[in-house]
Amino acid sequence: MSDNPKPSIAVLGGGPGGYAAAFLAADLGMKVTLIDPEVNPGGVCLYRGCIPSKALLHVAKVIDESHQAKNWGIEYSDPKIDLPRLRSWKEGVVKKLTGGLGQLSKARSVQYIQGQAAFENSTTLRVAKTGGAEESLSFDRIIIATGSRPAIIPSLKLNSARVMDSTGALDLSEVPRSLLVVGGGYIGLELGTVYAALGSKVSVVEMLAGLLPGADRDLVLPLHKRVEKIFDSILLNTTVSAMKEEASGIRVTFEGQEIKEREKVFDKVLVSVGRKPNSEIPGLDKTQVQVGPRGFIQVNKQLQTHDPAIYAIGDVVGEPMLAHKASHEGRTAVEAIAGHKVAFEPNAIPAVVFTDPEIAWCGLTETQAQKENRQIKVARFPWAASGRAVTLDRPEGMTKLIFDPETERVLGVGIVGVGCGELIAEGVLAVEMAATATDVALSIHPHPTLSETLMESAEVFFGTSTHVYRPKPR
Amino acid sequence: MTEFKLPELGENIDQGDLVRLMISPGASITEGQPVMELETDKAVVEVPSSVAGTVKEIRVKEGEKVKVGQVIFTVENGAGGKTKAAEAKAPAGKISDTPAQSVAQPKTESRSVERRAVAPQAAAIPATPGATEFRLPELGENIDQGDLVRLMISSGTKVSEGQPVMELETDKAVVEVPSSVSGVVKDVRVKEGQKVKVGQVIFTLEGGAAPQPERAKHAPVEHADGQHEARVAFQAAIRAEGKTEEQALPPDQPRPTAPMFAMPEQLGKVAGTEHREPVAAAPHVRRLARELGVDIHDVKGSGAGGRINEDDVKAHSKALLTSATAAAHAPGTYLEEPALPDFAKWGKIERVPIRGVRRKTAEHLRIAWNTVPHVTQQDKADITELEQLRARFAPKAEEAGGKMTVTAIALKVCASALKVFPQFNASIDMAKEEIIYKQYINIGVAVDTDRGLLVPVICEVDKKNIVELAAELTQLSKKARDKKLTPTEMEGGTFTITNLGGIGGTGFSPIVNHPEVAILGLSRSSMEPVWLSGKFEARRVLPLSLSYDHRLIDGADAARFLRWIAEAFEQPFLLSVQG
């Protein structure tokens, strides 16, 4: 089997990890079967995640800017929101992209099976096709890419249309008058932003002391200030202890020392408390695959499970649960199967929160450095000193580079500010290429763009930033 | 006294097979230091200690099944980090069996991220602050002591962490031992030549405060000076055989487990063993390293900020290859020994491991035999007159504490001969294609001990008189037999004498003690008829056997050299004239 130079492989799950793996495997000449319950590849990311949420966030931003335009002497009347059209536009985006993936998959002669699969043994899958037929198929290698699903809090489980998870929220069946978002992570904040722009009074409840736990506080602060204005309330250090459906909505009971109202009724509740790996695959116990205590399938650096014939990638193998991490893992797994000496060992996995302003980071964070008690030097460049940010009337952003004090190597990058999700890619490149402060400072960045803030942060490191006067202490 | 019990390993894991113990009695350990490797049915995990102190008694053995809660070892002066132990000791898996969902804790994803970061940190923090002494750290598996070859510090020396402080010879290798403490040395508690045990105090510090004793953060560095060539070659040979490499690994390097399935990341992180820095190399460079089978973390970067480029990886790989090939082609290993037949077929056998001196001798002589094209030249010396002189001067030597033996005289004779024939006091550097002439004359004398053959070296033989040489030789031979010989006393020889005359024989072919180029063998002298001035006379005749490296020495030179020696024995007066 392993001697076969062109093994046949099956990929379970057609998300960004699964289809990236399937496509590369096909490009390398393997016989590939891709199995997913949807009509086309795409997975959560395209159908119920990144893509539809970004479409809606774009709309939210336009609405928001139309309000802000008053400051610039342009006044629009309040927007009329045609929900069915908005929905169908969003669905059009999803269809276009997933349809494109379907074509790409055909073009590569990937056998796409719409259906569900169960393991019969390490190399055989029982596939129940959506059309009704069932068959057993054998492969040399199988890649599990089953992803994750929204986590639920069992004690708060309520069979009510008023309680949604992220999938329900993206369906956009209505714009509720009031919405409670449980969980101040990126999913809650992104969707909360959308609903707030569409006119809902949004409240966010987070059990920890700040929004976006885990992210550096200085990056979160500008976002916090802004969402405070667009949200009705942000309840920190607060948990939800009970939810009850009433005629007028969901009565939510809060617990925490800082709460003012113990109970409140909301039209709708969005529960976004994280995601759980989809590792409960039927028949997995007939293989040697091992699942860790948190539900993640255990893999080595080649993404191989304890079962030599089975690989696993993406959300189902661990944090961070991000599409781009899954894709990279998928490609690594396929290369490993092809016999290349590869390993999943990135120096930086970028994270982007698509709120307004956006937050993005990669590599080492200050929080992590602190935890590891590790010496770093941080250079910050405030966007108030960026011409481009000021022309956008969004000077609240900030770019920071985290350096190794000895080698002056860029170890991490953190940015907050409009559109900074696009800027972080340069940070990833810098970290992966082991760029030094000098490298970044000496690379000419185009003016006037927000990307200059990266270059100027590096200049701040040397105390010689053009637009910030902050000389090095002598 | 504190006990270390096997901590909780994770959900549903209540026991494991003890694969490897990384400690031994007397070892001092710190909290968080890995003490053993355990194979559970989920994975192989390193178990970090939750106590600190000096290991007193080990209650388990490798290969045994160990249960959670079972006492693994006891510790003296244990500063057990009991409060911390609760978190620090949990190795794999344990972290995440907290209920994932609960009313009070809806943020599962971020919590677990934080938790994961805690475990390795806890393991890294030493429990014993402000060490004021430096004890000999663990040097490797099954190594619990070594001979102190060289001290690099003395009272008043400033040391910093990682600085080599001494050279130690174990029966595996000569290693440089780096300090794990920083400060000013107050009291040095050991002497060169002494045996030092793991855990023994080497020196104390002047009110020095320094973290992390013992944990050999800086692995002992192999010493590769010219002096130790032979030993390094020996190590290389071992490595080429791939037999004991694993044993030679210092204890803090996780032993590679099954290559097919390395420990999953998640487990690896939690065990707190391996925290690999993101390496300063671009992705394509890292990929190249993987393809070449090079651990990118071992490569030294030549670029700004230590950045590693393709050339660095290639150079490193090449260096690895050359050393590997060199080891493979090293004399002593390039000849594969044919497989042995099953001797037990023909009768009862007993297998005894080759250890210590025997093993070294075997390897060294194999190298010598395979490297040196040997020729042995035979001659005889009439020592009738010398014998009379020897009897006359014997009391004088005895006064000086020595014995006027033929060997003692041979030392003086050879020293004089080596001055006249310097190519016999040389070495060959084939790699550089050079001959190394030594300006000093140090002669080794083979001594038969119950441990095997040892060769103490007498230095500057040419500058000592025969009485002095006799005294020194007696002393060294005694030391060798009493196992008190230090490695330095066996180094630096330029020529060797081996005397089997005490036992018997009329001649033999000694093996050149590489990297020397010649060796003189003496057999038993006997009375023989010698044709002198027209008649046979009864004379005492000493058989001489000179083996030499034909790469450097030609037969005619050897004949002349040996004749010179024979004549010096015959006419001791020559020594004072020419020697």
Side-chain angles (χ1 to χ4, degrees):
Chain A
M1 178 172 67
S2 54
D3 301 332
N4 186 347
K6 297 282 190 283
S8 66
I9 76 169
V11 182
L12 271 191
Y19 75 73
F23 290 2
L24 178 65
D27 290 345
L28 294 180
M30 301 179 196
K31 193 171 172 290
V32 187
T33 305
L34 180 57
I35 304 163
D36 191 275
E38 298 284 348
V39 184
N40 276 312
V44 167
C45 168
L46 277 91
Y47 282 101
R48 296 174 295 279
C50 326
I51 296 298
S53 65
K54 258 78 269 174
L56 296 177
L57 278 162
H58 174 64
V59 171
K61 190 163 182 216
V62 171
I63 295 172
D64 206 61
E65 285 194 331
S66 74
H67 294 312
Q68 208 194 349
K70 274 180 207 148
N71 302 345
W72 317 326
I74 312 284
E75 210 156 321
Y76 294 100
S77 51
D78 277 348
K80 260 193 241 152
I81 293 164
D82 179 346
L83 211 53
R85 251 180 94 181
L86 174 55
R87 232 177 0 239
S88 81
W89 174 71
K90 176 207 76 178
E91 275 153 19
V93 170
V94 170
K95 233 184 199 137
K96 191 169 188 171
L97 290 173
T98 53
L101 288 173
Q103 276 171 13
L104 283 173
S105 146
K106 271 200 197 87
R108 288 181 159 94
S109 305
V110 169
Q111 188 195 6
Y112 187 82
I113 300 179
Q114 191 185 358
Q116 302 273 5
F119 280 92
E120 283 185 353
N121 58 47
S122 298
T123 53
T124 310
L125 293 174
R126 183 98 199 139
V127 183
K129 295 184 182 173
T130 308
E134 222 182 282
E135 65 179 312
S136 282
L137 298 170
S138 285
F139 307 92
D140 293 329
R141 295 283 186 276
I142 294 170
I143 298 178
I144 300 174
T146 46
S148 62
R149 60 180 184 279
I152 46 166
I153 304 173
S155 62
L156 296 186
K157 207 175 164 187
L158 211 56
N159 254 340
S160 162
R162 291 180 186 273
V163 179
M164 322 175 276
D165 58 16
S166 56
T167 310
L170 285 167
D171 283 345
L172 209 66
S173 53
E174 59 163 335
V175 177
R177 265 179 299 121
S178 60
L179 173 72
L180 174 70
V181 176
V182 183
Y186 75 98
I187 298 171
L189 291 182
E190 286 183 15
L191 290 172
T193 304
V194 169
Y195 277 91
L198 293 175
S200 299
K201 286 178 92 177
V202 176
S203 299
V204 176
V205 55
E206 163 60 46
M207 75 156 197
L208 294 175
L211 297 175
L212 290 174
D216 284 351
R217 291 300 97 190
D218 56 346
L219 298 180
V220 177
L221 189 65
L223 172 70
H224 191 112
K225 278 188 182 158
R226 191 163 172 98
V227 290
E228 251 175 358
K229 285 183 207 150
I230 62 166
F231 288 172
D232 194 48
S233 59
I234 298 170
L235 308 165
L236 298 176
N237 292 318
T238 306
T239 56
V240 172
S241 60
M243 292 202 295
K244 217 167 82 191
E245 178 149 25
E246 292 176 359
S248 58
I250 305 285
R251 179 169 294 278
V252 179
T253 313
F254 296 109
E255 220 166 70
Q257 303 199 326
E258 299 160 25
I259 52 167
K260 291 179 188 122
E261 291 173 280
R262 227 183 92 77
E263 287 186 357
K264 206 172 171 188
V265 178
F266 296 89
D267 275 2
K268 281 204 163 180
V269 175
L270 163 61
V271 180
S272 52
V273 292
R275 301 183 63 84
K276 287 203 77 172
N278 290 331
S279 52
E280 303 89 349
I281 303 160
L284 199 62
D285 53 329
K286 293 173 191 157
T287 69
Q288 297 166 52
V289 171
Q290 291 190 14
V291 178
R294 289 181 60 217
F296 291 117
I297 290 177
Q298 297 189 348
V299 290
N300 62 13
K301 280 183 175 169
Q302 280 70 41
L303 290 315
Q304 189 182 32
T305 67
H306 284 80
D307 193 319
I310 301 175
Y311 289 68
I313 59 162
D315 290 3
V316 80
V317 301
E319 311 269 8
M321 297 197 195
L322 296 170
H324 45 267
K325 185 211 75 166
S327 303
H328 190 90
E329 283 180 341
R331 296 176 65 89
T332 305
V334 168
E335 290 194 292
I337 291 169
H340 302 167
K341 288 178 184 164
V342 291
F344 182 77
E345 278 177 320
N347 281 355
I349 301 174
V352 180
V353 184
F354 289 89
T355 42
D356 185 30
E358 291 178 357
I359 293 180
W361 68 89
C362 72
L364 186 67
T365 64
E366 270 191 276
T367 313
Q368 197 186 331
Q370 224 160 38
K371 260 181 208 151
E372 288 171 10
N373 209 5
R374 164 181 189 145
Q375 291 295 311
I376 49 165
K377 268 203 175 142
V378 182
R380 292 185 177 79
F381 183 85
W383 283 23
S386 154
R388 187 70 185 120
V390 175
T391 63
L392 293 169
D393 196 15
R394 295 297 299 270
E396 79 274 22
M398 188 264 293
T399 298
K400 68 170 171 184
L401 298 182
I402 294 168
F403 295 103
D404 180 271
E406 243 170 71
T407 60
E408 304 186 347
R409 203 177 126 199
V410 182
L411 298 176
V413 178
I415 320 177
V416 54
V418 277
C420 75
E422 307 290 334
L423 297 182
I424 197 62
E426 181 181 345
V428 176
L429 193 62
V431 174
E432 286 286 1
M433 299 295 292
T436 61
T438 312
D439 292 329
V440 180
L442 292 185
S443 299
I444 298 177
H445 286 59
H447 181 73
T449 65
L450 296 170
S451 71
E452 286 172 288
T453 63
L454 285 157
M455 175 183 71
E456 294 225 26
S457 296
E459 292 171 358
V460 165
F461 177 75
F462 297 112
T464 59
S465 160
T466 307
H467 295 101
V468 171
Y469 182 64
R470 200 183 290 149
K472 260 192 167 173
R474 280 165 204 271
Chain B
M1 173 140 25
T2 318
E3 285 177 340
F4 173 70
K5 293 179 181 170
L6 186 63
E8 285 281 316
L9 297 168
E11 226 174 9
N12 301 328
I13 302 179
D14 52 7
Q15 63 174 24
D17 292 317
L18 180 49
V19 182
R20 190 158 74 102
L21 261 175
M22 302 172 181
I23 45 153
S24 50
S28 39
I29 53 163
T30 55
E31 212 187 315
Q33 178 183 334
V35 289
M36 60 186 188
E37 228 174 80
L38 210 65
E39 185 172 6
T40 69
D41 46 15
K42 292 216 169 115
V44 176
V45 291
E46 274 192 8
V47 180
S49 173
S50 57
V51 298
T54 308
V55 174
K56 193 170 179 219
E57 188 192 350
I58 297 182
R59 303 251 177 102
V60 290
K61 276 196 206 111
E62 289 187 1
E64 246 175 35
K65 266 211 189 319
V66 189
K67 291 198 169 162
V68 168
Q70 185 176 334
V71 176
I72 306 300
F73 57 83
T74 59
V75 158
E76 272 182 322
N77 2 319
K82 277 184 205 112
T83 45
K84 225 194 257 170
E87 300 120 330
K89 70 188 175 186
K94 182 69 183 166
I95 22 124
S96 28
D97 61 4
T98 42
Q101 303 296 328
S102 75
V103 184
Q105 306 169 326
K107 281 302 306 170
T108 53
E109 102 193 306
S110 58
R111 261 184 335 115
S112 54
V113 167
E114 275 163 13
R115 289 260 187 135
R116 229 186 307 159
V118 169
Q121 193 192 9
I125 294 174
T128 35
T132 50
E133 54 187 29
F134 172 69
R135 288 163 187 268
L136 186 63
E138 284 279 3
L139 299 167
E141 222 181 66
N142 301 329
I143 301 179
D144 51 8
Q145 62 176 23
D147 292 317
L148 180 48
V149 182
R150 191 157 70 99
L151 259 175
M152 303 173 185
I153 43 133
S154 55
S155 180
T157 311
K158 252 192 176 166
V159 292
S160 53
E161 216 189 308
Q163 177 186 331
V165 288
M166 60 186 189
E167 227 175 276
L168 208 67
E169 178 171 3
T170 68
D171 50 12
K172 290 209 173 120
V174 176
V175 293
E176 268 186 10
V177 180
S179 173
S180 59
V181 298
S182 306
V184 176
V185 175
K186 191 178 171 196
D187 206 352
V188 180
R189 301 265 177 91
V190 289
K191 279 197 200 108
E192 289 189 1
Q194 208 180 317
K195 266 212 189 317
V196 188
K197 289 197 170 168
V198 168
Q200 185 176 335
V201 176
I202 307 301
F203 59 79
T204 58
L205 286 182
E206 245 161 39
Q212 302 200 348
E214 306 344 311
R215 176 101 197 250
K217 213 161 138 198
H218 310 267
V221 182
E222 281 166 19
H223 192 86
D225 250 345
Q227 290 274 346
H228 304 289
E229 249 173 48
R231 270 181 213 93
V232 171
F234 162 55
Q235 278 178 266
I238 276 187
R239 220 169 281 146
E241 284 172 343
K243 277 181 192 158
T244 44
E245 157 101 71
E246 277 189 1
Q247 297 170 351
L249 275 179
D252 60 342
Q253 287 184 10
R255 189 167 61 160
T257 47
M260 174 81 153
F261 192 88
M263 190 158 57
E265 270 292 82
Q266 294 93 326
L267 292 177
K269 271 183 188 155
V270 175
T273 50
E274 192 191 25
H275 175 68
R276 295 194 117 196
E277 286 283 299
V279 76
H284 80 278
V285 176
R286 279 153 33 210
R287 169 161 290 208
L288 177 72
R290 268 181 229 116
E291 279 162 1
L292 295 175
V294 168
D295 184 346
I296 190 82
H297 290 265
D298 293 343
V299 181
K300 222 174 133 75
S302 62
R307 190 155 52 199
I308 302 164
N309 60 31
E310 276 189 34
D311 290 339
D312 295 334
V313 172
K314 283 179 189 157
H316 185 87
S317 166
K318 211 170 151 191
L320 279 182
L321 274 178
T322 21
S323 63
T325 354
H329 287 269
T333 50
Y334 69 85
L335 277 179
E336 279 267 321
E337 281 187 31
L340 294 173
D342 178 14
F343 297 109
K345 271 199 304 205
W346 301 294
K348 217 174 150 193
I349 57 160
E350 188 196 353
R351 278 184 173 269
V352 177
I354 300 176
R355 289 282 144 77
V357 175
R358 185 77 267 151
R359 186 164 69 185
K360 261 192 196 170
T361 307
E363 282 301 333
H364 178 60
L365 289 179
R366 185 170 151 161
I367 288 167
W369 183 252
N370 284 317
T371 310
V372 178
H374 280 79
V375 181
T376 305
Q377 171 77 16
Q378 315 277 3
D379 208 330
K380 282 178 180 175
D382 180 343
I383 55 165
T384 316
E385 272 147 46
L386 188 85
E387 275 299 287
Q388 290 162 6
L389 278 175
R390 188 163 78 95
R392 185 149 17 115
F393 285 104
K396 202 157 190 190
E398 232 157 274
E399 250 171 61
K403 241 172 118 185
M404 182 65 77
T405 59
V406 173
T407 314
I409 299 164
L411 275 167
K412 190 67 203 172
V413 170
C414 288
S416 306
L418 290 170
K419 273 194 162 172
V420 181
F421 300 87
Q423 73 268 41
F424 288 81
N425 198 50
S427 282
I428 304 176
D429 186 341
M430 283 306 275
K432 291 189 182 151
E433 300 186 332
E434 282 172 356
I435 300 166
I436 302 159
Y437 290 100
K438 292 153 200 166
Q439 313 281 334
Y440 51 88
I441 294 173
N442 298 340
I443 299 179
V445 179
V447 177
D448 176 38
T449 75
D450 51 8
R451 285 190 298 159
L453 174 70
L454 292 176
V455 186
V457 173
I458 297 172
C459 293
E460 301 188 309
V461 179
D462 53 325
K463 292 179 185 151
K464 293 170 184 167
N465 65 38
I466 295 181
V467 173
E468 284 167 342
L469 290 172
E472 196 172 334
L473 178 60
T474 308
Q475 215 180 3
L476 278 175
S477 307
K478 186 173 182 310
K479 260 180 145 179
R481 292 190 181 103
D482 294 350
K483 301 175 187 172
K484 282 181 182 155
L485 216 51
T486 65
T488 33
E489 285 169 325
M490 294 189 275
E491 280 167 0
T494 59
F495 184 85
T496 301
I497 296 174
T498 171
N499 187 352
L500 294 180
I503 304 163
T506 57
F508 62 105
S509 321
I511 294 181
V512 173
N513 189 12
H514 181 79
E516 295 165 17
V517 290
I519 182 169
L520 179 67
L522 307 175
S523 295
R524 168 166 285 186
S525 63
S526 56
M527 299 305 291
E528 282 181 16
V530 174
W531 188 255
L532 277 176
S533 357
K535 57 175 183 182
F536 280 110
E537 274 187 34
R539 307 288 291 182
R540 182 160 288 277
V541 172
L542 175 68
L544 306 171
S545 312
L546 175 80
S547 290
Y548 57 92
D549 189 334
H550 206 343
R551 292 179 299 175
L552 182 61
I553 296 158
D554 292 331
D557 292 332
R560 278 184 211 116
F561 179 73
L562 195 55
R563 200 80 285 282
W564 197 98
I565 286 175
E567 278 169 18
F569 273 119
E570 284 161 8
Q571 305 165 41
F573 180 64
L574 265 182
L575 285 182
S576 45
V577 179
Q578 290 181 315

